[in-house]
Amino acid sequence: MKQRQLALKILGEVEEGSFLNLALKKQLKGLPEQERRFVAALLYTTLENKGRIDYVIDCFARGKRIHKLVRNVLRLGVCQLMFFETVPESAAVNESVKLMEKSPKRQLKGFVNAVLRNIAENMGKIEYPSQQEQPAQYLSVLYSYPLWLAEKYISEYGFDFAEEMLSYHKQAADTCVRANRLKISGQELLLKLEGRGYACRAGQYIPDCFYIRNMTGIDELDLFQKGLMAVQGEASMIVAEAAQVRPGQAVLDACAAPGGKTAYLAQFAPGRLEAFELHEHRAALMQENFERLGVGAECKVWDASIFCQENEQAFDCVLVDAPCSALGLLYRKPDIKYTKTPEEIAQLSQTQKSILTACAEYVKPGGRLVYSTCTMSREENEENIAWFLKKFPQYRQANLAAMLPERLMSRARGGTLQLFPHLDGIDGFFLAVLERE
């Protein structure tokens, strides 16, 4: 009961705009490990399948206006009925009714009981949208993505590829970390992690990358506090590797916070390392991160879309990890799936063009501009690069394949690469490397 009450509280916070990972970190502190895992699994599964769960609820409560608290209780209950084989139907229903009894809407416990029992008895009779007649609606409901995104992916990639993209889920609760080579080697970090009882597996593409099984509260681990490792996705590490920074070079990370890629670039011993961040509080957090990791980068609060005259042709390498729609992270961040809109993508594309325009002038002749996003939106990726190369003819695409891990070489298209979670098992990043003549 206590675990489900906590899940209901956190779900309410997420519905009000909180990020799931931050809400979990705040609310689960001090809870026994097994209870933390149950609450986290219940919430992630509910949010991953929210569209489908709501569709089922609406099939059995047709015509009813459902209060948001009641809907959240139903969502958690339906999630257990549909996706938790270890929870008996009776427990899923009865525990949901108990949640209602303890809520300000206790008079509706009979409604919740009736809806959940009806769903449990008739689960196999639910009629979903037809795959042949309503392909976008089918994908939207079955895999719980906004309808406009299902339509966009079908239009850009075809139905089969779109279904593979949208049906993919993160397979295990692993935390991806990298050894901070400024302080420790990968093998030394692995031994320390295993010595503390953590099960780890090696990264797929980067040698000093490890995935830690069932890690919660990583910031409480001494190895993290000492700066021996950083939490960072493997796709993000691939971007930093592709920058091909050499010792002594001048390097700018133009959209740096939280500073993961800047810290990675510091391992290549650049002579000058500068990090721009638009927001002062994020710059402060980034500075704290650098101090923990022993990174000697210069932080500057600056809008990357505005040209800074003093930096004209000042850098051998400029990394633009642009603000983006983050569609490549939706498979593991289900709480943000329904916050995305087509209008946001169009606006972001314009912002990215402005940043590229300013940053193009910072690169020395013979230098390199690296552009990345964590999205699979062509407006923000391939179309931006095509626009940039037309506007700045002094740039050309680099031979990206030569800069990639062997397993990804064949995926490069000239100077660009689009990663897909369902194909590559990592975040859906886009990467372009452009060289200035």
Side-chain angles (χ1 to χ4, degrees):
M1 179 63 181
K2 180 183 173 185
Q3 299 161 50
R4 290 174 174 85
Q5 270 187 317
L6 200 50
L8 180 61
K9 177 180 170 60
I10 296 172
L11 183 56
E13 291 180 359
V14 171
E15 288 294 301
E16 293 296 324
S18 296
F19 289 114
L20 177 58
N21 61 333
L22 298 180
L24 285 171
K25 184 178 178 181
K26 176 184 171 187
Q27 298 291 347
L28 300 189
K29 201 166 188 176
L31 215 62
E33 184 65 26
Q34 191 172 0
E35 294 183 16
R36 290 165 69 146
R37 287 184 191 174
F38 177 80
V39 174
L42 180 54
L43 283 163
Y44 269 103
T45 308
T46 298
L47 290 166
E48 278 176 356
N49 298 283
K50 192 174 80 168
R52 183 172 174 178
I53 288 171
D54 280 349
Y55 179 87
V56 170
I57 292 171
D58 292 338
C59 283
F60 289 88
R62 204 180 299 275
K64 302 281 188 183
R65 289 187 62 189
I66 303 176
H67 186 276
K68 58 183 179 183
L69 172 65
V70 180
R71 182 171 286 277
N72 281 344
V73 171
L74 287 170
R75 283 169 173 162
L76 295 175
V78 173
C79 177
Q80 292 166 78
L81 288 172
M82 294 181 71
F83 303 107
F84 277 60
E85 293 181 359
T86 57
V87 177
E89 286 183 4
S90 57
V93 175
N94 294 337
E95 293 299 321
S96 299
V97 172
K98 289 178 185 175
L99 279 180
M100 286 306 303
E101 283 178 341
K102 291 185 175 296
S103 79
K105 296 290 179 183
R106 61 179 64 85
Q107 72 275 16
L108 294 173
K109 66 178 182 181
F111 170 74
V112 166
N113 183 51
V115 171
L116 290 180
R117 288 194 185 284
N118 200 2
I119 291 172
E121 290 171 8
N122 297 286
M123 191 86 73
K125 300 177 184 176
I126 298 168
E127 291 186 8
Y128 291 104
S130 164
Q131 178 180 331
Q132 286 71 36
E133 297 173 10
Q134 300 172 292
Q137 287 88 343
Y138 169 84
L139 293 182
S140 173
V141 172
L142 263 291
Y143 304 117
S144 296
Y145 277 85
L147 179 60
W148 69 266
L149 190 55
E151 291 171 339
K152 172 183 171 67
Y153 283 161
I154 291 174
S155 170
E156 293 183 357
Y157 299 105
F159 178 85
D160 291 342
F161 196 85
E163 182 167 29
E164 290 171 8
M165 291 168 70
L166 298 182
S167 63
Y168 182 78
H169 293 287
K170 188 178 180 182
Q171 300 302 311
D174 295 345
T175 300
C176 187
V177 302
R178 67 168 176 83
N180 177 17
R181 294 199 301 266
L182 296 175
K183 295 189 176 186
I184 194 171
S185 70
Q187 282 307 304
E188 288 172 332
L189 176 64
L190 181 60
L191 287 173
K192 287 182 181 294
L193 286 168
E194 292 178 336
R196 285 161 173 76
Y198 292 103
C200 303
R201 62 181 173 88
Q204 301 179 71
Y205 307 101
I206 302 295
D208 291 333
C209 169
F210 302 102
Y211 290 84
I212 309 174
R213 181 63 49 87
N214 293 324
M215 165 63 76
T216 57
I218 194 167
D219 53 347
E220 299 169 15
L221 187 64
D222 65 326
L223 303 177
F224 179 87
Q225 292 170 349
K226 293 176 182 174
L228 302 185
M229 63 182 190
V231 178
Q232 189 168 29
E234 202 167 358
S236 177
M237 300 181 207
I238 290 169
V239 170
E241 287 284 343
Q244 300 273 292
V245 170
R246 295 189 293 277
Q249 288 189 326
V251 178
L252 169 66
D253 187 351
C255 308
K261 294 183 187 65
T262 314
Y264 198 112
L265 296 174
Q267 298 179 147
F268 301 114
R272 175 188 176 191
L273 181 58
E274 195 161 326
F276 285 176
E277 168 49 39
L278 175 61
H279 303 288
E280 193 166 345
H281 70 285
R282 282 169 58 85
L285 291 172
M286 182 167 66
Q287 184 62 55
E288 287 179 18
N289 200 25
F290 290 162
E291 289 170 5
R292 181 180 64 82
L293 295 168
V295 171
E298 179 186 349
C299 293
K300 181 174 182 177
V301 177
W302 186 261
D303 183 345
S305 67
I306 297 175
F307 177 60
C308 178
Q309 183 73 46
E310 66 185 57
N311 285 326
E312 186 171 11
Q313 296 191 7
F315 295 95
D316 299 286
C317 178
V318 175
L319 171 60
V320 176
D321 185 44
C324 71
S325 57
L327 301 184
L329 308 181
L330 299 190
Y331 77 105
R332 64 178 179 86
K333 292 191 172 184
D335 51 322
I336 62 173
K337 280 199 288 191
Y338 285 92
T339 65
K340 305 299 175 186
T341 65
E343 294 75 20
E344 178 192 7
I345 289 177
Q347 187 174 18
L348 282 165
S349 177
Q350 292 306 311
T351 301
Q352 292 151 0
K353 287 185 174 78
S354 298
I355 294 172
L356 281 168
T357 298
C359 290
E361 304 298 342
Y362 301 151
V363 180
K364 296 176 182 176
R368 181 172 293 162
L369 179 64
V370 179
Y371 176 77
S372 68
T373 69
C374 56
T375 195
M376 299 173 293
S377 160
R378 286 181 175 165
E379 299 101 303
E380 299 174 72
N381 296 337
E382 293 94 334
E383 291 178 16
N384 268 351
I385 295 305
W387 168 87
F388 178 85
L389 290 172
K390 191 173 180 182
K391 182 177 176 67
F392 295 95
Q394 66 271 39
Y395 279 89
R396 57 181 172 79
Q397 296 189 51
N399 178 17
L400 182 56
M403 306 168 194
L404 293 174
E406 186 175 354
R407 289 180 57 190
L408 291 175
M409 286 180 174
S410 63
R411 298 284 309 287
R413 298 290 178 268
T416 70
L417 168 71
Q418 176 68 70
L419 295 168
F420 294 95
H422 73 285
L423 292 182
D424 305 302
I426 54 179
D427 293 342
F429 265 58
F430 175 79
L431 168 64
V433 179
L434 309 168
E435 293 174 339
R436 183 169 187 168
E437 294 175 350

